[in-house]
Amino acid sequence: MTDLASRIRARGVRRPGRAGSAGRAGRGGVLVAAAVLTVAVVACLLAPVVWPLDESAVDLSRTRLAPSPAHPAGTDDLGRDVLHRSLYGLRVSLLVGAVAALVAAVIGGLVGAVAGSLGGWVDRVLMRVVDTIAALPHLLLGIFIVAMLRPSLGAVILSIGLTHWLSTARIVRSELLSLRNRPFIDAAVAGGASRARVLTRHLLPHVLPRLALATTLMVPHAVWHETALSFLGLGLPPHLASLGNMINDGQRSLLTGAWWASLVPGLLLVVVTLALAVLTGRWRDRLDPRVRAELQL
């Protein structure tokens, strides 16, 4: 018994040290991700002021120039500065991702709220619709939606929103189902509160943090979805600078050795979306008590 108690105490002494070092490493990664994302967003916002150039202007006398002090990331096959267009493209991609995530959150939130609050056959029908749409590949479904519409900024946002609301609907529904049997809900119903009042005053305030987290987690996926559509030539118009369009245009320059035309926007896409994923993952860990408890083991 004494040996068992000593082993338990020894394990208890070692575990906080590991948790503390893991926590410090996690905080360091969050700080780096926050710094990267801040620099990227500020650069996108200040690019038109500090660097007032036309991102679609063509200069055939400067085609495929290698990186130099005049053009830190080189130029593409039409003589356009790659770094300048990458900043404009990142701004467009982040805008599309954020707006599309909001559209998906609204659609998913409404479907999940109706299914979770009404229950019964309404819940079963809506969840079967969700399962049916989830069985289809998101990218193929997005291509179909864009093909039915004229390729434009609104069409891309709509296609992403209509293919990414499923997880949000499930999250909202599950949260509402778990809250419906809580004592404070029974007390509100016993006090004469209507179903609409219970939903708006007692249920939705508890769901909003999860909904906000799901929306934020959706932004990197929406950015990659827009990039994939633009890379396939089915996204934003070719003259509009976006990371997907630039990577698609830059692949033609790879055969001539102009690797920077695709590398710079691709690297910017990976770094920014990875920073977003780190920050949203940290927020998810802090919000979910089960994940937080596992991190402290």
Side-chain angles (χ1 to χ4, degrees), residues 230-296:
S230 299
F231 178 77
L232 295 174
L234 298 171
L236 301 178
H239 70 275
L240 187 61
S242 73
L243 296 181
N245 282 339
M246 293 188 63
I247 297 174
N248 186 20
D249 295 338
Q251 67 177 340
R252 297 191 299 267
S253 301
L254 290 176
L255 299 176
T256 61
W259 48 266
W260 52 85
S262 292
L263 178 64
V264 174
L267 185 62
L268 190 61
L269 172 66
V270 172
V271 170
V272 172
T273 53
L274 183 61
L276 278 171
V278 170
L279 292 177
T280 52
R282 180 66 172 179
W283 184 19
R284 177 196 58 202
D285 297 341
R286 292 178 64 87
L287 181 65
D288 194 339
R290 292 171 298 181
V291 177
R292 187 167 61 247
E294 293 175 358
L295 291 176
Q296 294 175 354

Side-chain angles (χ1 to χ4, degrees), residues 97-110:
V99 177
L102 290 176
V103 172
V106 172
I107 298 174
L110 290 176

Side-chain angles (χ1 to χ4, degrees), residues 53-79:
L53 297 176
D54 185 4
E55 73 276 10
S56 60
V58 175
D59 188 355
L60 298 180
S61 63
R62 300 185 302 174
T63 58
R64 301 191 182 110
L65 295 179
S68 63
H71 303 283
T75 61
D76 59 9
D77 55 352
L78 294 178

